[in-house]
Amino acid sequence: MRGNRHPWKRLLRWLVAVLALYGSVALPSLYGDFLWFAALDYESVFLTILAYWLGLFVLTAGISALVLYGSYRIATQNLQRSGARPPPWRYRAAIIVLAVLIGLVYASAWDTVLRFIHATSFDIADPISGLDVAFYVYTLPFLNLIVGYLVVVTAAGLGLSMALYGREFVATTGQGDEESAGGTVTYDPWAYVSYLRAYAYTHIVSYIGVLLVLLGVLFFLDRYELLFSPRGVVFGMGATDRAVFLPLLGLLTVTSLLGGLVVLASRWMPDARAVYVPIALLIGFLLLGHTAGAVYQEFVVEPDELNKEEQYLEHEIKFTNRAYALDRIEERQFPVSDTLTRGHIDDNPGTIDNVRLWDPRPLLTTYNELQIFRTYYQFTDVDIDRYEVDGQKTQVMVSARELEFQALPPESQTWVNRHLVYTHGFGVAMSPVSSVTADGLPTFYIKDIPPQSSAGINVTQPRIYYGETTTDYAIVNTNTRELDYPSGGQNVYTSYKGDGGILLDSALRELVYSIKFLDPRIVLSDSVTSESRLQFHRDIQTRAPTIAPFLEYDRDPYVVASNGKLYWIYDAYTTTDTYPYSDRVRFKGDRVNYVRNSVKVVVDAHTGETTYYVAEPDDPLIRTYRKAFPGLFKDFEEMPAGLRQHVRYPEDAFRVQAQQYLTYHMKDPRVFYNKEDAWRIPNEVARGAELPMDPYYIIMTFPGADDPEFVMIQPYIPEGRQNMIGWLAARSDPPNYGTLKAFRFSKQRLIFGPMQIESRIDQDADISQQITLWSQAGSSVIRGNLLAIPIGDTIIYVEPLFLESREQGALPELKRVILVHGDRVTMQPSLERAIAVQAGVASPAAPSPGAGLSPAELDRARTLYDEAQAALQRGDFETYAQKISALGELLEASDAQQEGNTTGR
């Protein structure tokens, strides 16, 4: 047909149209990204990543296109030689599409190439080959990338060739033909094979020979992959791997390489056996080798497994400890005292004054009820930190008051409001972890709008343009004034006075970002002027990874008030999954076996200035990235001193280390093999369910130390038992930041673990009756997190109890503190009272339930409850409500009386 006489021209026109359409959007977007990086002084980072990406794309797509087109030309010549029809134009289109797809896939591996080019030695040799760990982290992934790419391209060329030759042996009957859908397709394989022998033998066997050679290279590289083998009891090369699979891979390497050369030689001496025999040998050796491996494992290794695997277990223990920095843990015994004395209290005021009573969940509810003031504000997360208050290190909980635009009525969610007016959050709420008002509510250090401080922590620039929920772009310094904050029945408006964002000082920039965001109102709005600034990537979880996508990031950035301004600190990690002999764990969705918290990212909440500080300069991976991106990172010492005081040991890194330490604290391979001293994370009862105990921050004084420190700890219990066996602590305060301490308890003594403590609380008659009465009076009782707190040479457990009305908008109130030491349990209105009772310097309050209930009042309470239940069963809801109300008044009166009899709240 005439329409198919010049298919290449039609294909070219379509290609140009598609590229023009894509370029009209992609190029402005790319230029907009460059301007964004340049505004942060990180244009060199952008250009470096772009250069690696484009270089890889052009290289891999270009080679792929050449190989595929070469295969197409050879196949076309062979088809013409046999008198067959020329292939339709869609095969040429497929070559372009396939080459582009391959280029896109391998361009995304730019980080692997960058690491290889800027590789840094680990100065640690693997115990099998004696190669530096850097070979496994940088070189091996790079070699696998190259060989894998060559295999893909060769296989694609072979597949294209087979498809071209196969056209002649596909018959279509009924409606339709090869060029259109419809009909029944039949295929003659024997004729196809005969045709290949006659006309395409050289072409096809060349591809098969190259594939076999490449397969031989892959088998050779797989010998090093054995150091990540999960086979058997060892992670890494074990006895069976070394005795069977290492020689097997050597045999397969030689067989594939020689077989490939034989197949290539058969181009000049055609013989089908030259193809079948090497492939058959490979398959045979593979089957025989895996069978031999299974037999050797079962009949040689397993009967004497410990002796056979002992040296390899030593490697796994040693390298896993190194990879997760567990070899830096300072281990010591912790002799637990049975008594809690006044001396413990007097010697540890920093610990006692900072016992965390408030849980993040009920406190977040309280913040959102007391401190948002308008529906378009929201507290989304509560962070834990420490500040100097009256010369003392004080643990606090703090949350940023961020903008929640979706909370506005739908009719108010206009483009102007979204992007020009409601541009920022305002201030923070902050309260000490251990202070409670007479109403059971938090005591605020910072509150209200504008921020009011009662602890000397002043916030003079409270505006939050960059935060955790600021996902929309904002245009500031426009002719439309921004909402600053509400003031009574009025609003206060402002104009942005910082330098954050991209200056829209030309129509070109406005047009670029209108295209990038597919929003013509940016260029059409009269409110946008040459002084306006466009701010995007404003949420921290997007901003930091956009600048440095080669790092992994913590789940939770936290807000810090320093020198009158607000900042976000965001922990970043270097990771790899190719550290030899190191056991892999799931981290950020991937399986990795090396983790370092090497970077602290600081983001100015007002200007968006983003700075990367290197917290672990000895990490070989971060040294590699510093060589690749010399303008990105700063030394940790360059961080302002006020911010350094708020650096925390990150929870995500500590979780991984605490999890690995459960097993890898056993350094003796025989103990490790038998798991004789395996530990596990204890459970606790929280929010009505039994949950794993999360690590938590506390301020405490280490045994033998003089000053309290801000640390994160994780208690441990033995596998299969519930008693506490020890705890791991990570230090956060300079100059000890990053050091780890492990304290082990005597195995000859019983130290109650968290679930044993929870059981003792549940079995306490007074506590159970009080909780029951509160629940029957129409309130929800919330059991807070159970904290194990070391004090001197002993351990106390603290669990707060919150009371929350079931009515909408009710506030959780901290009503009681349960303190357990040894086999003694007490519940008191305040922590001070509970500690005094446990230390023997005060008498317990009158017996519960409802610590102020007399026996007569207790009988009255039971009568009211029984009468209420009887009314409910007969459907008399009015009487039921009256009885429950009377019961509530009785309990409230008893609480008021009890609180009047106690001091030290």
Side-chain angles (χ1 to χ4, degrees):
M1 293 185 295
R2 294 183 61 84
N4 289 331
R5 294 176 66 179
H6 301 288
W8 269 109
K9 292 183 179 180
R10 184 171 62 177
L11 173 61
L12 184 61
R13 286 195 296 269
W14 275 104
L15 181 61
V16 170
V18 170
L19 289 176
L21 180 62
Y22 176 76
S24 66
V25 176
L27 291 179
S29 180
L30 190 66
Y31 179 59
D33 288 337
F34 171 76
L35 292 176
W36 184 81
F37 275 84
L40 292 165
D41 292 328
Y42 290 144
E43 61 267 37
S44 62
V45 177
F46 175 85
L47 293 174
T48 299
I49 295 175
L50 181 63
Y52 274 93
W53 192 96
L54 282 177
L56 274 177
F57 174 77
V58 171
L59 182 64
T60 55
I63 293 175
S64 301
L66 289 174
V67 171
L68 293 174
Y69 184 69
S71 183
Y72 173 84
R73 287 293 303 273
I74 294 172
T76 301
Q77 292 171 1
N78 289 336
L79 288 170
Q80 290 175 347
R81 187 161 55 90
S82 66
R85 297 169 297 165
W89 67 271
R90 65 171 178 264
Y91 283 92
R92 282 164 282 184
I95 290 173
I96 298 174
V97 172
L98 189 57
V100 170
L101 290 176
I102 292 174
L104 290 173
V105 169
Y106 282 91
S108 65
W110 61 267
D111 186 34
T112 301
V113 179
L114 180 143
R115 285 191 185 195
F116 172 74
I117 292 175
H118 299 281
T120 303
S121 174
F122 279 71
D123 294 325
I124 301 171
D126 84 81
I128 303 300
S129 303
L131 297 173
D132 192 280
V133 169
F135 170 81
Y136 298 92
V137 174
Y138 307 120
T139 307
L140 185 59
F142 177 72
L143 294 176
N144 278 322
L145 179 71
I146 293 176
V147 179
Y149 166 73
L150 294 176
V151 169
V152 168
V153 173
T154 305
L158 176 61
L160 176 65
S161 303
M162 301 289 282
L164 288 166
Y165 294 130
R167 290 176 56 253
E168 289 301 305
F169 304 94
V170 176
T172 305
T173 60
Q175 294 183 345
D177 54 26
E178 185 191 6
E179 303 295 329
S180 60
T184 302
V185 178
T186 59
Y187 174 61
D188 187 352
W190 300 113
Y192 179 40
V193 172
S194 298
Y195 178 87
L196 292 178
R197 289 177 177 172
Y199 296 100
Y201 182 85
T202 299
H203 188 196
I204 298 302
V205 298
S206 296
Y207 273 117
I208 295 175
V210 172
L211 280 175
L212 284 174
V213 171
L214 292 174
L215 192 60
V217 178
L218 285 178
F219 284 133
F220 177 78
L221 295 178
D222 282 345
R223 298 169 69 250
Y224 299 102
E225 298 278 350
L226 288 176
L227 271 71
F228 321 125
S229 169
R231 188 183 294 109
V233 298
V234 179
F235 185 90
M237 184 182 291
T240 301
D241 292 316
R242 192 160 194 176
V244 177
F245 288 101
L246 187 61
L248 172 63
L249 287 171
L251 176 62
L252 292 173
T253 298
V254 173
T255 303
S256 291
L257 292 174
L258 293 179
L261 295 176
V262 169
V263 171
L264 290 173
S266 72
R267 299 172 63 220
W268 296 279
M269 295 178 292
D271 188 341
R273 290 174 298 178
V275 178
Y276 302 147
V277 171
I279 295 176
L281 284 175
L282 276 178
I283 295 173
F285 288 152
L286 274 170
L287 294 175
L288 183 62
H290 281 277
T291 301
V295 171
Y296 188 87
Q297 177 70 24
E298 183 173 355
F299 295 103
V300 178
V301 174
E302 290 185 3
D304 190 27
E305 192 168 50
L306 177 55
N307 291 323
K308 290 288 192 298
E309 302 283 20
E310 184 173 1
Q311 62 173 312
Y312 305 107
L313 288 172
E314 287 181 357
H315 301 330
E316 179 186 352
I317 295 169
K318 179 179 179 180
F319 277 79
T320 299
N321 274 275
R322 280 179 173 172
Y324 296 100
L326 304 182
D327 57 338
R328 305 177 187 176
I329 295 176
E330 177 188 340
E331 299 179 345
R332 58 179 296 182
Q333 291 297 119
F334 188 84
V336 182
S337 171
D338 292 329
T339 58
L340 177 67
T341 66
R342 185 57 184 259
H344 287 104
I345 310 304
D346 295 339
D347 293 341
N348 295 274
T351 303
I352 300 300
D353 293 342
N354 289 282
V355 171
R356 178 164 66 82
L357 301 180
W358 284 99
D359 278 7
R361 188 177 297 246
L363 186 63
L364 183 63
T365 301
T366 302
Y367 280 1
N368 277 313
E369 289 294 334
L370 298 180
Q371 284 291 306
I372 60 171
F373 305 116
R374 292 292 190 272
T375 58
Y376 48 78
Y377 288 130
Q378 187 75 22
F379 295 100
T380 59
D381 182 35
V382 175
D383 299 311
I384 299 175
D385 202 353
R386 73 287 196 195
Y387 287 79
E388 288 288 329
V389 178
D390 296 330
Q392 300 295 322
K393 185 174 296 181
T394 304
Q395 189 174 1
V396 303
M397 305 181 86
V398 59
S399 184
R401 186 184 293 104
E402 296 202 61
L403 195 68
E404 181 66 23
F405 185 79
Q406 300 299 328
L408 285 173
E411 61 271 16
S412 298
Q413 296 183 23
T414 63
W415 183 86
V416 170
N417 279 342
R418 180 183 294 273
H419 299 293
L420 308 185
V421 178
Y422 293 88
T423 58
H424 58 275
F426 206 91
V428 297
M430 181 188 292
S431 56
V433 298
S434 58
S435 294
V436 188
T437 69
D439 297 323
L441 299 176
T443 302
F444 285 100
Y445 278 170
I446 301 178
K447 63 179 181 178
D448 297 344
I449 300 177
Q452 304 296 316
S453 174
S454 62
I457 308 169
N458 297 315
V459 179
T460 56
Q461 180 50 273
R463 295 163 187 86
I464 302 173
Y465 286 86
Y466 300 85
E468 292 186 86
T469 64
T470 46
T471 55
D472 288 326
Y473 71 81
I475 305 178
V476 297
N477 276 0
T478 67
N479 289 332
T480 302
R481 302 198 73 193
E482 307 166 45
L483 171 70
D484 199 20
Y485 59 88
S487 179
Q490 304 296 320
N491 290 329
V492 176
Y493 292 87
T494 189
S495 291
Y496 183 70
K497 297 178 176 61
D499 58 359
I502 299 98
L503 191 63
L504 298 177
D505 56 358
S506 67
L508 175 61
R509 291 191 173 191
E510 293 179 13
L511 179 61
V512 162
Y513 287 108
S514 290
I515 296 173
K516 178 176 177 61
F517 294 108
L518 301 178
D519 192 342
R521 286 166 291 195
I522 295 176
V523 72
L524 296 176
S525 175
D526 291 334
S527 291
V528 179
T529 72
S530 61
E531 300 297 321
S532 298
R533 289 180 173 272
L534 175 67
Q535 300 175 342
F536 63 98
H537 293 327
R538 296 195 298 147
D539 61 299
I540 309 304
Q541 294 94 328
T542 300
R543 188 176 189 82
T546 299
I547 298 171
F550 43 84
L551 300 175
E552 298 290 344
Y553 292 86
D554 201 81
R555 73 183 73 183
D556 183 27
Y558 59 99
V559 67
V560 171
S562 178
N563 295 323
K565 298 187 65 176
L566 297 178
Y567 298 88
W568 297 92
I569 297 181
Y570 199 16
D571 287 285
Y573 307 94
T574 54
T575 64
T576 182
D577 63 349
T578 55
Y579 197 97
Y581 270 115
S582 176
D583 184 33
R584 287 176 176 150
V585 297
R586 185 160 295 281
F587 185 74
K588 305 301 172 187
D590 297 318
R591 300 287 295 179
V592 302
N593 61 4
Y594 175 94
V595 177
R596 286 292 186 277
N597 173 221
S598 294
V599 178
K600 304 287 184 179
V601 185
V602 176
V603 180
D604 188 315
H606 183 242
T607 67
E609 180 184 3
T610 305
T611 311
Y612 293 74
Y613 296 100
V614 175
E616 190 163 342
D618 294 333
D619 170 30
L621 279 172
I622 203 60
R623 290 164 61 196
T624 290
Y625 286 125
R626 294 193 80 168
K627 289 190 288 185
F629 303 101
L632 177 60
F633 299 100
K634 292 185 177 182
D635 293 333
F636 185 69
E637 291 72 23
E638 296 183 59
M639 183 186 293
L643 289 174
R644 282 204 307 270
Q645 298 303 315
H646 295 283
V647 167
R648 306 184 314 187
Y649 200 93
E651 182 177 342
D652 285 353
F654 187 71
R655 282 178 181 271
V656 169
Q657 292 174 307
Q659 186 68 38
Q660 291 296 78
Y661 195 62
L662 294 172
T663 303
Y664 290 95
H665 69 273
M666 295 179 284
K667 304 300 193 298
D668 187 320
R670 292 181 173 269
V671 175
F672 181 89
Y673 173 80
N674 292 307
K675 300 297 185 285
E676 297 174 16
D677 191 26
W679 299 346
R680 65 185 178 90
I681 305 294
N683 290 340
E684 63 168 330
V685 176
R687 299 183 291 277
E690 187 174 324
L691 304 170
M693 195 174 201
D694 290 328
Y696 47 90
Y697 292 104
I698 64 171
I699 288 180
M700 62 164 290
T701 303
F702 282 107
D706 297 325
D707 299 320
E709 299 182 42
F710 185 68
V711 302
M712 171 171 274
I713 72 172
Q714 175 68 70
Y716 289 125
I717 60 175
E719 186 66 52
R721 290 179 289 165
Q722 291 294 338
N723 59 289
M724 194 168 170
I725 193 64
W727 49 283
L728 180 67
R731 306 167 82 175
S732 294
D733 292 339
N736 298 314
Y737 173 80
T739 58
L740 300 170
K741 285 178 172 283
F743 294 85
R744 300 189 181 201
F745 300 160
S746 171
K747 297 178 183 178
Q748 281 69 49
R749 295 190 54 200
L750 173 64
I751 310 299
F752 288 128
M755 283 308 297
Q756 292 172 323
I757 296 297
E758 297 281 18
S759 297
R760 296 189 69 82
I761 293 173
D762 292 338
Q763 293 165 6
D764 188 280
D766 292 341
I767 296 176
S768 297
Q769 288 177 338
Q770 179 68 78
I771 291 175
T772 301
L773 285 172
W774 274 326
S775 300
Q776 292 166 353
S779 296
S780 296
V781 179
I782 303 172
R783 292 176 64 165
N785 291 122
L786 180 69
L787 303 183
I789 301 175
I791 297 182
D793 61 352
T794 193
I795 299 284
I796 64 171
Y797 285 91
V798 177
E799 182 173 280
L801 284 185
F802 299 90
L803 219 58
E804 184 177 31
S805 172
R806 295 190 177 99
E807 298 177 359
Q808 188 174 3
L811 295 174
E813 299 177 5
L814 181 56
K815 298 301 291 185
R816 292 290 185 271
V817 177
I818 301 174
L819 194 149
V820 184
H821 179 261
D823 57 358
R824 297 183 62 194
V825 181
T826 185
M827 181 175 73
Q828 299 296 327
S830 69
L831 175 65
E832 291 82 357
R833 178 74 183 180
I835 290 176
V837 169
Q838 286 285 16
V841 297
S843 301
S848 291
L853 287 179
S854 66
E857 289 172 327
L858 179 57
D859 291 338
R860 174 62 177 159
R862 289 171 176 164
T863 300
L864 287 171
Y865 174 70
D866 292 340
E867 290 175 348
Q869 293 300 308
L872 182 62
Q873 290 178 0
R874 64 175 181 266
D876 186 354
F877 298 109
E878 182 178 357
T879 302
Y880 172 78
Q882 293 173 351
K883 299 298 181 181
I884 288 296
S885 178
L887 178 59
E889 292 173 358
L890 178 62
L891 292 175
E892 288 177 2
S894 72
D895 287 344
Q897 178 183 357
Q898 172 63 14
E899 290 171 6
N901 292 334
T902 59
T903 59
R905 172 70 63 99

